[in-house]
Amino acid sequence: NGDSGVVERPCFLELWADKNPTFKTFQMKRKLIYGGLVIWLACGLITYRYARRLWVPVVVKITGGRTVADVVDEYGFAVNEILTEEFQKAGLPYPPRKIALIGLKKEKQLELWAFGNDERPVFIKSYPIMAASGDRGPKLKQGDSQVPEGIYKLSALNPNSSFHLSMRVNYPNNYDRAMAAKEGRKNLGGDIYIHGKAGSVGCLAMGDPAIEQLFILATKVDIENIEVIIAPADLRVVDYNSFISAEIPWTGELYQNIAKELEKFGKEN
């Protein structure tokens, strides 16, 4: 040590290792093994997190997957208890006759509304959207990573989703196809879902607890009785004209239609 004047001497183990190349080789191999394990674990975590579309279908094929009934058996009791209480607070019986899901891109919220016997929609709760790729504006083609905008229905429930559970949105709908035909667009894309987990490409990722509730509710209501409205923002409180795109002139008509549909639903904070 330069400050104390004390000379540091190598320890016995260091001297012994210098004279024993076999030990040095063992140390090197151990470091390589540890390094390889770290890389292997990192690759495994990345694959689990970001490559679910690749490995989940393989697991489903091997195991045979699960049915909607299996999902109801696994999550139904707990979810029904939660939703029964939520609906009681809103003054509606559970399950309702039909529901509406309102997805607000800018606010990153998915509102749940239910209809009573008087056909009046009642706000139940709002779920945070964990992830939604793209920007404001409708989906135009395969691979643009856009979340669609419009008035939709659910077309299927998927108990074997790569993202825990999922509900398929019927994009492209008739309006999407009509606008595409007018502009000569062919490949509109598809496979748009409301699903679990917290990552998305063109879909609404809701996290697992939320999708479990929505999935079980959909089995109770039946997908034919579920409306899905996806808007660039909450057009009940902002003027839809501010979202019209010069590059997509028909967004004026689209947003007017969405705003009119949203008039049925009062604004809930």
Side-chain angles (χ1 to χ4, degrees), residues 73-250:
D73 287 342
E74 185 171 357
Y75 303 109
F77 181 78
V79 165
N80 288 330
E81 279 197 329
I82 294 170
L83 291 181
T84 297
E85 184 177 347
E86 297 278 2
F87 274 76
Q88 285 177 347
K89 289 179 181 178
L92 287 182
Y94 177 82
R97 190 171 57 81
K98 64 179 182 177
I99 64 171
L101 300 174
I102 301 176
L104 306 173
K105 284 186 176 181
K106 183 179 178 182
E107 292 79 6
K108 295 183 178 179
Q109 293 290 315
L110 183 70
E111 294 181 357
L112 168 61
W113 293 73
F115 291 80
N117 293 329
D118 59 359
E119 291 295 317
R120 182 178 61 87
V122 177
F123 177 76
I124 304 299
K125 66 188 299 184
S126 186
Y127 299 91
I129 297 173
M130 308 298 287
S133 62
D135 203 347
R136 72 183 187 187
K139 184 173 182 63
L140 301 177
K141 61 183 179 180
Q142 177 73 33
D144 64 5
S145 298
Q146 283 290 101
V147 175
E149 294 174 352
I151 302 166
Y152 299 98
K153 302 287 288 184
L154 291 183
S155 60
L157 300 177
N158 181 10
N160 295 300
S161 171
S162 298
F163 300 90
H164 187 41
L165 299 167
S166 64
M167 308 185 299
R168 186 171 185 167
V169 177
N170 73 329
Y171 169 88
N173 61 15
N174 291 336
Y175 187 84
D176 296 316
R177 291 191 179 94
M179 295 303 102
K182 185 181 293 187
E183 297 175 345
R185 287 182 283 111
K186 300 292 185 183
N187 190 359
L188 307 188
D191 290 334
I192 303 300
Y193 291 88
I194 300 170
H195 60 64
K197 303 302 174 190
S200 169
V201 179
C203 302
L204 298 180
M206 304 304 302
D208 290 355
I211 196 59
E212 287 165 10
Q213 291 187 19
L214 293 169
F215 192 99
I216 296 298
L217 178 56
T219 67
K220 291 281 190 180
V221 176
D222 190 59
I223 59 174
E224 294 295 325
N225 298 315
I226 301 175
E227 180 181 33
V228 179
I229 305 169
I230 305 177
D234 193 343
L235 302 183
R236 294 166 295 188
V237 296
V238 296
D239 185 359
Y240 72 84
N241 287 289
S242 62
F243 291 92
I244 296 174
S245 168
E247 291 76 25
I248 314 172
W250 50 268

